[in-house]
Amino acid sequence: MLTRPQLGIAGLAEHLGWSTDQVRGALDELAKLSLVRQSDQQPGGLLLVNPEVSLVSLLARQEAELTQRQREITSGRLAISEIVAEYADAVHHQRRLDVEELTGIDMVRVRLEELAHSCTSEIMEFATGGGQSAASREASRPIDRGLLERGVHMRCVYLESVSNHPQTVSYLGWLSGLGCRVRVVPALPLRMVVFDRQSAIVPSNPDNTAVGALLLRGSGLISALCALFEHIWEDAPPFGSAPQRDDSTGLSSQARAVLSLLAQGHTDDVVARKLGISVRTSRRITADLMALLGARSRFQAGVIAGERGWLQGAQDSPSPN
């Protein structure tokens, strides 16, 4: 239409080798995008609209819709936070509590040692934070050795990013050699250890695990945590296996996890913490994904990825915290 404005529908169809239905469909799409409009002077005729005007207006509407959606998500998060706070307050005042608060890292380690000593059959663990500190590794060695030598079935899921931390890689090699089964995933929902499917320890503040933890009991709650563990364990590749890539998108599992977190509105700092990587690496992955998707914002990248179906499966790494 730009180079041969004199052609009508039949002429366009003949020039393009299309059917007239195809041409009409394309013209309808252009009209929806405000790139063409009906002529007031020539009945049935179409006029081209300057794309600088029409497309900028279209993008402005889409950005307004995205902004409104972000407001709705923020409002939803606030409502959920208020409900969770009310629930926690109600539970706190119940006479019979299945939650014990452990204040400080020392108390947490003491309780972990006690639970490990009495554990008889099985341990399931999510280890967040990427590379483990020297203090954490040294505190865990005698506990892990004692459990495995007693024949306790032990399964652990770590973050993929531990592969960039030689000391943790060495520790996991040692742990696997004792009989522990270790798998890795790009992101984990929380740090936790479940003992004999009867009790579990989770952080009281996921953003600062040194503050303390909660010791949870109760069949319903523990069953839910065990189901979460089994769900993630099922699809997690063994530690030491080659990094996985999605056949349809070509994205690594880590990149897909970043997309999922972007779609949930998380910041670079939160993404980095959940994947056990540096903020700089998180920003680089995000920038690469935005360029690949042609997105102008982090949230838009998540929306586009969702529309393309790229988030299917990536959502298996939940993020309740």
Side-chain angles (χ1 to χ4, degrees):
M1 293 180 71
L2 285 171
T3 58
R4 292 173 174 79
Q6 75 282 0
L7 295 179
I9 292 179
L12 287 169
E14 180 180 355
H15 177 73
L16 295 171
W18 290 6
S19 68
T20 55
D21 287 341
Q22 285 180 287
V23 173
R24 292 182 189 278
L27 290 174
D28 288 342
E29 190 67 26
L30 291 174
K32 290 179 184 177
L33 295 172
S34 300
L35 288 170
V36 299
R37 63 179 176 83
Q38 294 290 335
S39 171
D40 295 327
Q41 181 177 344
Q42 182 182 355
L46 294 173
L47 293 178
L48 291 172
V49 180
N50 186 339
E52 184 176 359
V53 175
S54 59
L55 291 183
V56 168
S57 175
L58 176 65
L59 287 175
R61 291 198 302 271
Q62 291 179 335
E63 287 176 345
E65 292 171 359
L66 286 173
T67 300
Q68 178 60 28
R69 181 57 179 153
Q70 285 177 305
R71 291 196 189 101
E72 292 172 356
I73 291 174
T74 300
S75 176
R77 283 206 184 96
L78 179 60
I80 291 172
S81 297
E82 291 173 351
I83 293 171
V84 170
E86 290 179 10
Y87 175 80
D89 185 65
V91 170
H92 181 72
H93 289 90
Q94 288 179 351
R95 292 183 178 180
R96 181 179 179 181
L97 292 177
D98 286 330
V99 179
E100 177 185 348
E101 186 173 2
L102 308 175
T103 305
I105 192 65
D106 289 337
M107 183 178 291
V108 173
R109 285 178 175 166
V110 167
R111 183 62 87 195
L112 280 170
E113 290 176 4
E114 292 174 353
L115 291 169
H117 180 73
S118 59
C119 183
T120 59
S121 61
E122 182 181 18
I123 280 187
M124 296 177 285
E125 178 180 6
F126 284 159
T128 59
Q132 307 296 296
S133 68
S136 177
R137 296 194 308 272
E138 291 310 307
S140 299
R141 278 184 185 272
I143 298 175
D144 294 337
R145 183 189 293 277
L147 286 164
L148 292 166
E149 287 180 348
R150 294 203 316 269
V152 173
H153 180 52
M154 190 170 178
R155 291 182 292 167
C156 302
V157 182
Y158 282 76
L159 295 177
E160 287 181 0
S161 56
V162 297
S163 61
N164 300 318
H165 194 261
Q167 294 85 353
T168 302
V169 169
S170 175
Y171 171 76
L172 294 183
W174 170 82
L175 196 60
S176 299
L178 290 179
C180 176
R181 298 174 63 193
V182 181
R183 295 186 179 182
V184 293
V185 292
L188 285 167
L190 78 167
R191 190 181 192 96
M192 75 172 187
V193 187
V194 180
F195 300 87
D196 286 338
R197 297 180 180 262
Q198 295 180 352
S199 58
I201 288 185
V202 300
S204 55
N205 181 358
D207 295 331
N208 184 5
T209 55
V211 171
L214 301 175
L215 172 56
L216 310 177
R217 298 185 181 88
S219 58
L221 184 58
I222 300 304
S223 294
L225 292 177
C226 290
L228 173 63
F229 180 89
E230 297 292 359
H231 176 68
I232 292 179
W233 175 267
E234 183 67 23
D235 294 328
F239 168 68
S241 60
Q244 295 183 327
R245 286 190 175 273
D246 184 79
D247 293 335
S248 59
T249 64
L251 296 178
S252 67
S253 54
Q254 190 176 70
R256 295 186 72 204
V258 171
L259 270 180
S260 176
L261 294 171
L262 289 179
Q264 297 169 42
H266 290 299
T267 64
D268 290 322
D269 289 345
V270 173
V271 172
R273 188 185 76 245
K274 288 185 176 296
L275 270 65
I277 58 179
S278 67
V279 175
R280 181 178 179 182
T281 299
S282 170
R283 288 173 178 163
R284 176 182 58 76
I285 296 174
T286 298
D288 291 344
L289 288 169
M290 288 176 61
L292 178 64
L293 292 165
R296 297 196 300 171
S297 70
R298 297 156 49 85
F299 181 76
Q300 188 182 21
V303 171
I304 294 173
E307 291 174 346
R308 294 185 183 181
W310 287 13
L311 295 180
Q312 296 176 7
Q315 301 290 3
D316 289 345
S317 297
S319 179
N321 303 314

